């Protein structure tokens, strides 16, 4: 199991360091059955990297550039993420796909660049409410998957299925719907020549009340948690509850 905390645009350095050190304190010395990674904003990465040094919690970035260096004002490269101690990067989150019009092709390029830098891309996919209401959720996710996962399908990457309508809404698909989509994603990945063991996370309104049920679904390999990951005690207890 893999539990990831996506902090989004939250926390200054003091708040972020406190949040990370509280999570660390909560889980230290306890029996853990999951890998944990947190994804603070770029400005906190360096300080939090120090907080997490030699700990069981890994660090990740929330995005990266398609470029390695040069005249690209505002960009952060995958190698810069590696430089501050990141092992993972979230790519193609729906807030970037929709808010910044990121295309599948762009996300794929970022995923390739990240992999080449030795950082594991977490490629996000998921349908909108409108697409689900039209019965198009599987075809939307298939198009996103086939066009935004890295070229080197044998290399390391993770998929996060996050229905857009479940993000920050307090609403989640039911277990049968989650299972159906995960089976679909596994089938698409396998039939397009990908490794059998690609990990797939569920994301969208995961909290302390629903995490056990969602994570008990055989197909689900972990969770990408937004809002609840800003609460150190709740995030820690989700991690500690993993069987
Ligand atoms: P949420 O966000 O847990 O607040 O719904 C999840 C995400 O956007 O990754």
């Amino acid at each position: 199991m893999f539990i990831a905390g996506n902090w989004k645009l939250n926390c200054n350095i003091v708040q972020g360091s406190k949040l990370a050190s509280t999570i660390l304190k909560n889980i230290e010395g306890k029996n853990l059955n999951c890998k944990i990674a947190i994804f603070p904003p770029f400005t906190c990465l360096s300080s939090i990297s120090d907080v997490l040094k030699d700990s069981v919690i890994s660090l990740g970035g929330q995005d990266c550039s398609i470029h390695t260096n040069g005249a690209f004002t505002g960009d952060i490269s995958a190698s810069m993420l590696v430089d501050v101690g990141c092992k993972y990067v979230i790519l193609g989150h729906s807030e970037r796909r929709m808010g910044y019009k990121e295309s599948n092709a762009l996300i794929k390029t970022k995923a390739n660049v990240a992999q080449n830098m030795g950082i594991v891309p977490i490629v996000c996919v998921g349908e909108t409410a409108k697409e689900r209401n039209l019965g198009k959720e599987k075809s939307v996710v298939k198009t996103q998957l086939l066009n935004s996962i890295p070229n080197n399908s044998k290399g390391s990457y993770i998929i996060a299925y996050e229905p857009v309508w479940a993000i920050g809404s307090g609403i989640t698909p039911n277990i049968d719907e989650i299972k159906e989509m995960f089976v679909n994603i596994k089938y698409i990945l396998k039939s397009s020549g990908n490794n059998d063991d690609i990990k797939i996370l569920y994301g969208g309104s995961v909290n302390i009340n629903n995490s056990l049920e969602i994570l008990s679904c055989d197909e689900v390999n972990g969770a990408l948690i937004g809002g609840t990951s800003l609460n150190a005690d709740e995030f820690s207890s989700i991690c500690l509850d993993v069987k």
Side-chain angles (χ1 to χ4, degrees):
M1 282 288 171
F2 185 89
I3 307 294
N6 175 11
W7 293 7
K8 307 191 182 186
L9 182 56
N10 294 292
C11 293
N12 60 26
I13 293 174
V14 171
Q15 293 163 335
S17 302
K18 184 158 178 251
L19 179 52
S21 59
T22 310
I23 296 167
L24 206 50
K25 207 159 8 123
N26 287 347
I27 61 164
E28 235 164 26
K30 307 258 173 66
N31 187 29
L32 261 186
N33 294 311
C34 62
K35 284 189 181 173
I36 305 173
I38 54 174
F39 297 77
F42 294 134
T43 50
C44 290
L45 287 174
S46 177
S47 311
I48 294 181
S49 186
D50 291 341
V51 173
L52 299 181
K53 200 162 187 281
D54 301 325
S55 81
V56 293
I57 303 181
S58 302
L59 194 60
Q62 296 177 19
D63 186 33
C64 73
S65 174
I66 57 171
H67 304 289
T68 308
N69 61 281
F72 303 102
T73 303
D75 277 18
I76 300 283
S77 70
S79 63
M80 289 169 176
L81 293 181
V82 173
D83 193 37
V84 282
C86 289
K87 283 197 182 151
Y88 302 93
V89 61
I90 296 172
L91 296 175
H93 190 282
S94 63
E95 286 151 16
R96 298 208 63 85
R97 285 180 183 267
M98 297 168 85
Y100 299 94
K101 306 261 181 295
E102 290 200 1
S103 65
N104 287 319
L106 179 81
I107 296 158
K108 189 189 207 45
T109 307
K110 289 182 177 185
N112 289 335
V113 169
Q115 259 191 354
N116 289 340
M117 283 296 153
I119 192 162
V120 178
I122 301 179
V123 178
C124 303
V125 295
E127 81 286 355
T128 62
K130 190 171 170 203
E131 289 160 344
R132 180 166 277 264
N133 291 338
L134 291 169
K136 290 184 172 170
E137 68 275 13
K138 286 189 187 148
S139 64
V140 166
V141 166
K142 181 177 183 181
T143 304
Q144 289 176 336
L145 276 175
L146 294 181
N147 297 293
S148 56
I149 56 176
N151 290 334
N152 180 6
S153 56
K154 304 289 178 206
S156 199
Y157 70 95
I158 294 171
I159 299 293
Y161 169 61
E162 301 201 301
V164 179
W165 50 275
I167 294 175
S169 64
I171 305 165
T172 60
N174 64 41
I175 286 299
D176 289 341
E177 289 168 332
I178 293 177
K179 206 180 164 84
E180 196 179 339
M181 182 56 86
F182 273 61
V183 169
N184 174 54
I185 292 173
K186 288 207 165 147
Y187 174 76
I188 294 164
L189 292 176
K190 196 170 173 196
S191 48
S192 56
N194 288 271
N195 284 347
D196 265 355
D197 59 353
I198 302 295
K199 301 276 178 273
I200 311 174
L201 316 180
Y202 169 80
S205 294
V206 175
N207 59 43
I208 44 167
N209 300 316
N210 61 22
S211 64
L212 270 182
E213 191 190 11
I214 292 171
L215 294 172
S216 70
C217 181
D218 279 348
E219 282 74 19
V220 175
N221 305 120
L224 179 53
I225 306 176
T228 299
S229 71
L230 296 170
N231 182 315
D233 291 345
E234 293 189 2
F235 183 73
S236 317
S237 88
I238 289 175
C239 297
L240 291 168
D241 278 352
V242 173
K243 301 277 180 283

